[in-house]
Amino acid sequence: MINQLRKIYSSVKVYKDGSDDLSIDYKWFTTDKNEIIGIRNDELTSKDISLLTTFLSPYNVQFPTPTEAEKNWRKIIFSAELMEEKDWKPSNSFRFVYFSFNKNQIEPVLFKDAIEALFDKQVPILWESEHEGFIIEQQMQEEESISYEQIIDILMSDLYVKINFFVGPYKKDIADITLHYNSLTNVAKRVFLYTNKSVVTYVEAIPFILTKQTEAELRLDISKTILQEYIHDAETIKMIETFLKCNLNLSETAKVLHLHRNSLQYRLERFFDKTGIDIRQFHDAMTVSLALIARK
C-alpha cells in the first residue's frame, strides 16, 4: 500500500521510532499494520485527507495508539468491502456519542484516560481531530451507566474541560452503519449552533435536523408568521423558551422566571390574543418551538 501511495504522493515517508521526528510539515496516519506514515501538507487537499482517512487512521503524537476494537470499528464504518465480509461485529447494541471541546484544552491521551476511568473499562474512541470525535458506547445488561451530564460535571470540576456531547440512538446491528455515522456527524457538528445545552440526544435534535433541511427564506417566513410582533421581543421569547423547557408546566416556569403564576398566565393569554396561538396546547407549542429554531 505504501508503494501505491508513493505513486500519488511523492513525499510519503515511514516513521521509524527513535530515528525520525514527527514533523509538523507532514500529515501523519497509521496503517492497519500499525505503521506510521506521513505525507507533506503541501501535497494534500482537504478532499485528499477525507479520502485517506477512510482507510488510514489519523495519527498525532498526542493521540492514543489505536486499540484493536477501534481499528475494527473504523473498518466496519469506512470500508464497504470489510463490511460485506462481516469478519467482525459488535456483540451488543451500541451507540455513537459525539464529543467536542475547545482546542488545546486537554490532550487526547488524557481525555481518553479520563473517559475510561469514568466508565471503568476500555472505551473505543474514533478521533475526528485533536478536539472532537466519537465515543462508542456498548449497551451492557445489568450495568449501571454514568450519564453524560455527570461526565461533564466531573470533567469540569477535575480537569476544567468544557465539553459538549451529542448522544446518538442505540443500534442493534451494523446495517447501514456508514450512512448512520455520517448522518450523526453532520447533525452533531451543527446542533450546538442552535442550543445552549451541553448534552443533546438524537431525539431532541430532530426538530433542528428537520428545520435545517428547509431553505433560509422559508425558515425566516415561518419565524415571522408564527412569532409575528414578538419575533424581536427578547422578554417574550425568553418566557416561551423557558415554558417549553419546563414541559409546558406553568408552576415550574413561573418559578424559573421568578414570576407569580397568575402573571405568567396573563402573559401567555396575551400572546394567544395577539397571535391566535395557544402555546399551552401541545401542537401549538410544537409549532412555536420550530419557529424559534427557524428564527436562530
Side-chain angles (χ1 to χ4, degrees):
M1 180 178 65
I2 292 174
N3 289 333
Q4 291 174 318
L5 285 172
R6 282 200 174 105
K7 293 178 182 178
I8 305 171
Y9 308 104
S10 60
S11 64
V12 169
K13 64 187 296 186
V14 180
Y15 173 76
K16 295 180 181 178
D17 192 21
S19 60
D20 294 312
D21 291 325
L22 288 166
S23 170
I24 60 173
D25 295 327
Y26 282 73
K27 184 76 175 176
W28 297 94
F29 305 87
T30 56
T31 70
D32 56 0
K33 295 180 180 178
N34 274 337
E35 297 168 299
I36 301 172
I37 63 172
I39 304 173
R40 281 191 63 88
N41 293 323
D42 54 16
E43 272 203 280
L44 295 171
T45 65
S46 58
K47 187 176 180 179
D48 289 325
I49 294 171
S50 296
L51 179 62
L52 288 166
T53 53
T54 62
F55 59 93
L56 297 172
S57 301
Y59 180 84
N60 185 300
V61 68
Q62 296 178 327
F63 285 138
T65 302
T67 64
E68 284 302 314
E70 288 165 347
K71 292 177 188 175
N72 285 329
W73 277 107
R74 193 166 284 279
K75 285 178 184 178
I76 64 171
I77 293 169
F78 297 114
S79 174
E81 181 181 349
L82 286 170
M83 278 180 63
E84 291 173 3
E85 293 174 5
K86 292 183 173 66
D87 53 353
W88 180 87
K89 62 181 180 180
S91 54
N92 300 90
S93 296
F94 62 91
R95 63 183 177 184
F96 296 123
V97 180
Y98 171 84
F99 64 86
S100 67
F101 47 82
N102 292 334
K103 290 182 179 179
N104 303 318
Q105 264 201 312
I106 184 173
E107 293 182 1
V109 172
L110 293 178
F111 176 79
K112 183 175 175 66
D113 287 344
I115 291 297
E116 292 188 340
L118 291 169
F119 279 94
D120 198 25
K121 62 181 178 183
Q122 280 198 332
V123 179
I125 295 179
L126 302 184
W127 292 91
E128 294 279 317
S129 70
E130 72 277 7
H131 61 92
E132 62 180 338
F134 281 90
I135 294 168
I136 303 175
E137 183 186 352
Q138 293 203 55
Q139 193 173 33
M140 309 299 288
Q141 293 182 349
E142 299 179 359
E143 183 179 278
E144 187 176 345
S145 60
I146 184 170
S147 75
Y148 286 93
E149 285 83 2
Q150 288 174 302
I151 290 176
I152 286 176
D153 289 342
I154 293 170
L155 290 177
M156 273 295 292
S157 61
D158 292 354
L159 301 173
Y160 306 104
V161 176
K162 186 179 184 301
I163 188 168
N164 290 326
F165 287 113
F166 173 62
V167 184
Y170 276 109
K171 285 181 65 67
K172 294 182 179 179
D173 56 56
I174 60 173
D176 299 321
I177 192 171
T178 303
L179 177 63
H180 178 66
Y181 182 89
N182 290 337
S183 174
L184 287 183
T185 302
N186 267 336
V187 176
K189 294 190 177 196
R190 295 177 178 179
V191 70
F192 293 104
L193 299 174
Y194 298 93
T195 178
N196 293 323
K197 294 183 66 174
S198 297
V199 179
V200 179
T201 67
Y202 183 79
V203 172
E204 292 172 325
I206 292 296
F208 301 108
I209 298 170
L210 295 177
T211 306
K212 185 65 178 176
Q213 303 309 309
T214 60
E215 297 178 357
E217 292 81 2
L218 178 57
R219 292 200 299 270
L220 179 61
D221 184 61
I222 289 171
S223 61
K224 285 181 175 179
T225 302
I226 299 300
L227 299 173
Q228 300 178 34
E229 65 188 74
Y230 294 103
I231 190 167
H232 299 303
D233 185 332
E235 185 179 357
T236 300
I237 295 296
K238 180 182 178 181
M239 176 194 70
I240 295 171
E241 288 179 333
T242 305
F243 187 56
L244 294 171
K245 286 178 183 177
C246 292
N247 296 315
L248 315 188
N249 185 304
L250 279 169
S251 299
E252 184 64 25
T253 306
K255 182 179 178 181
V256 172
L257 293 174
H258 305 291
L259 288 173
H260 191 279
R261 193 175 187 278
N262 290 342
S263 297
L264 175 61
Q265 182 82 1
Y266 169 75
R267 294 186 185 187
L268 292 174
E269 287 176 356
R270 186 175 61 185
F271 181 82
F272 173 55
D273 290 340
K274 295 278 188 178
T275 64
I277 298 172
D278 187 355
I279 60 173
R280 293 164 294 188
Q281 303 300 316
F282 171 75
H283 288 290
D284 284 8
M286 180 176 64
T287 300
V288 172
S289 177
L290 290 171
L292 288 172
I293 295 170
R295 173 180 174 268
K296 293 181 181 180

